[in-house]
Amino acid sequence: MATPSFPRTPQLTGHDAEGKRAEILDYFHATFDRYEQLFEVLSGDEAYFVKPIALRHPLIFYFGHTATFFINKLVLAGLIDQRINPGFESMFAIGVDEMSWDDLSEARYDWPSVEQVGAYRREVRATVDRLIRTLPLSLPIGWEHPWWVIVMGIEHERIHLETSSVLIRQHQLKYVKPHPAWEPCRRSGPAPANELVAIPTGAVHLGRERSATAVYGWDNEFGSHQAAVAAFQASRYLVSNREFLAFVESGGYADEALWSEEGAAWKNFAQAEHPTFWIADGAGWRLRLMLEEVAMPWDWPVETNFHEAKAFCNWRTRLTGLPVRLPSEDEWQALRAFAGVGELSADETAANLQLDHWASSCPVGEFAHGPLFDVIGNVWQWTETPIYPFASFEVHPLYDDFTTPTYDDRHNLLKGGAWVSCGNEALPASRYAFRRHFFQHAGFRYVVGEAPAAVQTSHYETDRLLSEYAEFHYGDSYFEVPNFPRALAQLAITAMGDKPAATALDLGCATGRASFELARHFERVTGIDFSARFIGLGTQLAEQGSLRYTLVEEGELVAYKERTLAELELAEVADKVEFYQGDACNLKPHFTGYDLILAANLIDRLYSPAKFLGEVHERLNSGGLLLIASPYTWLAEHTKREEWIGGFKQAGENFTTLDGLKAILGRHFRLVRGPLSVPFVIRETKRKFQHTLSEVSIWERVAG
C-alpha cells in the first residue's frame, strides 16, 4: 500500500492541544492546496465560466464557494467580526444541489474573474490560518466547541474536492489538460467473473453520540438506529464495465419494463443508451476519465446513476430468476462488518481511497476485503435506501441545511467512498446521499435476498421545530388568537392602500404563510429565509399544494396533521410565490425593487440587525413600505450584545428597540403606523403553548 500523502480527518480527542492545533493547521492547508490544485487541470479561464452541465453552476462558483463557506460560517459562529467580501460571500453561498430555491439563472450573476477569486481565496486562507494559530483550544473538540466550525469548513472543502472532480469529468475535453498530480490508473485486464458471497444473519447498530465525537461528523451520522439483517448474498466484485456491457448489448436501455417510472423518465429525457462516461468508438467503446479518454478498461467498475444500477438489477432478476437488487444501507453495513472493515477508520484497510493511489478507478480485483473486493473505495456504491434521520437526529445550529433538504425520499444513500473521497467521506460511518439521476464517481454491487430492502421513510414531517412552525403558519388557531402571518400580511396590505403592488419581499419568511397571503394583493412575492429547512416546506406547498406533519401531544404520542392551500383559499395564488434561501444581512444584489418588505420576527435573530436596517432601503422602491414585527427577544446566542439595537440603558436612560429603529431608519424612512402589538401563539404540546406579543411598526421609504 502506498504511504498516505494526504492528511486524514483528525482525531478530535487527546491531551496535547498545541499538537492538535498544528495537526489541524496542516489539515487545513493541505486541503486548501489540493482543492486549488484540482482547478489547475482547467485549460484556461474560459473553462471556469462554461457550465459542465446545465443543472450546475460554472466552475468559477465552486472555486469561490468553499472559501466563502468558511467566512459565512465563521461570521455566524461569532469567531470573526468582519466579512472579507460581502458580495462574494452572497454570490458564492448557495446553489450546490438541484433544489428549487437554488438560483442557477446566469442572467443574475456577474461572475468575477479567476484572478479576483484567487485573490479572495488567499485572503480567506490567511484569515483561517490566523484563527487556527490564535484561537484558544481545549480538547476534546465536540459538537458545540468553537473549533467544530473550523473542522466543518475543512471537511466541506473535501466534499467539494470530489464533487468538483465530477463536474470537471463532465466538462468538454478541450477545457481540461493532463496534470502530474492527477494521474489515472493505467492498469487493466480481463474482468473477473462475478459470483455471490453468502453474508450471514446479523444485527447493525448505527449512529454516533454527539457527546463522544472522536472524529468530525455531519448531522445525519448522529443519533441511533438498530436493525436485524436477514442473511443475503452479495456480489464478490463491484459490477465491472464488462459485466454491465451485457446489459447494454441486450437492449437494457430500450426495455421500458426494466425501469421504474422515475428512471424511465430520466432515461427518455437524457436519451441515454449507455453509461454517461462511455463513449462509442466505432464498434467498440472508450471511457471518459477526469482529464482524458482511454480505451475501455473492462475490469474497472462501471459508473452509473441509481436508475441505471436498478435497471441492471431488474435485468439480472429476469436473467437468473433470483431476486437481485441493490443493498440497503443496513445490508451494506452488515457486509462491511463481515469483511472486517472498521466503521470510523479506513486506514487499516488497503483501498483505492483518499487519493492514496490514482486519480481514477482501478480494476475491481485490485483490493480484497475478506472474501469481497472494494467494500470501500474505488467507486461509491448505490443503495436502495433514501436517506432518513436516525432517532434523536438534530441539525447543527451552524449548518441546519446540510442534510434536511435531502429528507425527501428523492436522495439515495451511497456507501463506501471513491478514489477521491477524503476526510469524513472516507469513513464507513459517513452518510452521503444524492438524487437518483445524479452522477458521482459511483457504481454498485448487487445482492440477492428474499427479504425486500427495508426503506426508512415518512410522508409526514417529523422535525419538531418544523412541525411547530407548520402548525404556527398553517394550522389551527389557539385561544382565539388570529393566525399571526396572515394578520401581518393583512396589516401590510391595508397600509399599502392604492400604492403600487407589483412585488413584495417576505424576509425571514420561515415556512411561508405570509408569502402566500401577500400574493392575494401583490403580483409577485419572494420569500427568503436563512433556513433551507423552513423554505423547503413553503416550496413543497407551492409545488404540491399540501403538507403533512406530526405534532407532539405528550411524551412519545403524536397527532397527524394535513393542510392544503386549497382549504386556506391560497391555491390560486401559489404560482405568484417563489422561495429562496438567503442571509438578510447579505442578500444577493438582484433582490431589490420591492414595493413592500415584510420582516416578521427577524431583527432580534440577526447577527447584525443594524447592518440590515441600514441597508434595507436599497431594496425598496421610493414610497414603498417596510413592516417590522418583533417581540425584541434579544439573546446573545443569536446576536452579540454589542450588536443589539435596543433593550439596554444608554446614558442612564432606557433605550428601547423602537428607539433604535427610529435612529437607524429615520434617515430613509418615516414611521406611518405603530407601534402596535400583535399577539401570536406557538403550540409546543397539547397542553403547552408560547403566547407572545410582537411589536409592529410600518415605515415608508422617503426620497433621498
Side-chain angles (χ1 to χ4, degrees), residues 305-617:
N305 64 21
F306 172 87
H307 299 308
E308 294 166 300
K310 188 65 177 171
F312 174 92
C313 290
N314 293 338
W315 173 76
R316 286 284 303 175
T317 294
R318 179 193 292 174
L319 194 68
T320 65
L322 299 173
V324 180
R325 53 177 172 78
L326 299 171
S328 66
E329 180 186 25
D330 292 345
E331 287 170 330
W332 185 89
Q333 290 288 4
L335 69 84
R336 172 200 57 77
F338 174 74
V341 177
E343 186 178 12
L344 285 176
S345 174
D347 274 359
E348 70 276 10
T349 306
N352 187 14
L353 193 66
Q354 305 201 90
L355 292 169
D356 282 346
H357 300 279
W358 308 283
S360 74
S361 305
C362 69
V364 296
E366 188 78 21
F367 293 101
H369 302 140
L372 304 170
F373 286 78
D374 291 327
V375 170
I376 57 173
N378 219 356
V379 295
W380 288 95
Q381 300 164 49
W382 284 105
T383 74
E384 297 273 0
T385 308
I387 190 169
Y388 66 95
F390 288 156
S392 302
F393 167 82
E394 294 180 14
V395 298
H396 193 279
L398 297 179
Y399 199 175
D400 79 337
D401 58 340
F402 179 78
T403 308
T404 49
T406 67
Y407 291 151
D408 59 1
D409 294 345
R410 298 177 182 178
H411 292 71
N412 275 47
L413 284 157
L414 301 96
K415 303 299 295 184
W419 53 269
V420 69
S421 303
C422 302
N424 171 269
E425 283 190 306
L427 304 181
S430 68
R431 304 179 79 222
Y432 291 88
F434 286 87
R435 290 182 182 267
R436 291 184 278 267
H437 64 274
F438 272 19
F439 291 96
Q440 289 300 111
H441 303 297
F444 63 101
R445 77 171 69 244
Y446 51 85
V447 302
V448 172
E450 296 300 331
V455 175
Q456 305 284 337
T457 185
S458 171
H459 294 290
Y460 285 85
E461 177 56 62
T462 57
D463 181 311
R464 183 164 181 172
L465 181 61
L466 287 188
S467 294
E468 288 178 0
Y469 265 80
E471 180 70 1
F472 176 38
H473 277 213
Y474 301 100
D476 299 331
S477 294
Y478 299 96
F479 308 109
E480 299 182 354
V481 174
N483 180 277
F484 181 67
R486 187 169 188 265
L488 294 184
Q490 289 174 334
L491 281 172
I493 291 169
T494 299
M496 290 295 296
D498 58 0
K499 288 176 177 286
T503 58
L505 173 62
D506 183 8
L507 197 51
C509 66
T511 57
R513 175 66 182 271
S515 302
F516 291 113
E517 293 289 346
L518 289 172
R520 297 180 189 270
H521 182 73
F522 290 85
E523 295 174 21
R524 296 295 303 171
V525 178
T526 300
I528 296 179
D529 200 272
F530 189 78
S531 170
R533 299 159 66 204
F534 282 166
I535 61 173
L537 290 189
T539 299
Q540 179 183 333
L541 269 169
E543 293 176 350
Q544 302 175 17
S546 64
L547 173 68
R548 291 177 172 181
Y549 54 96
T550 60
L551 287 176
V552 174
E553 295 280 89
E554 57 179 274
E556 298 177 350
L557 303 179
V558 298
Y560 294 87
K561 304 293 287 285
E562 180 173 7
R563 286 292 184 268
T564 68
L565 289 182
E567 66 188 280
L568 299 172
E569 299 182 346
L570 293 169
E572 297 300 318
V573 301
D575 62 351
K576 297 166 64 176
V577 179
E578 57 186 356
F579 292 101
Y580 294 97
Q581 187 181 10
D583 178 352
C585 296
N586 195 30
L587 288 177
K588 291 181 178 179
H590 64 263
F591 292 121
T592 190
Y594 295 103
D595 298 309
L596 169 78
I597 295 178
L598 169 63
N601 292 359
L602 175 70
I603 60 170
D604 57 355
R605 291 295 183 268
L606 298 177
Y607 58 82
S608 184
K611 182 178 187 299
F612 163 70
L613 293 166
E615 298 175 352
V616 68
H617 66 280

Side-chain angles (χ1 to χ4, degrees), residues 7 9 44 59 155 181 224 289 298 325 349 371 515 573 592 630 674:
T9 190
L59 285 162
E155 293 291 350
S224 62
L289 305 183
W298 292 112
R325 53 177 172 78
T349 306
S515 302
V573 301
T592 190
S630 174

Side-chain angles (χ1 to χ4, degrees), residues 18 29-30 48 55 82 160 192 203 210 230 248 339 432 474 504 530 559 674:
E18 291 310 304
H29 281 295
Y48 283 85
L55 295 177
Q82 298 295 321
H160 283 283
R210 277 174 286 275
V248 175
Y432 291 88
Y474 301 100
F530 189 78

Side-chain angles (χ1 to χ4, degrees), residues 209-240:
E209 295 183 15
R210 277 174 286 275
S211 60
T213 52
V215 293
Y216 181 85
W218 298 104
D219 54 10
N220 60 50
E221 299 168 33
F222 295 94
S224 62
H225 169 73
Q226 300 181 23
V229 179
F232 63 98
Q233 296 174 291
S235 62
R236 188 180 301 278
Y237 304 100
L238 300 176
V239 173
S240 67

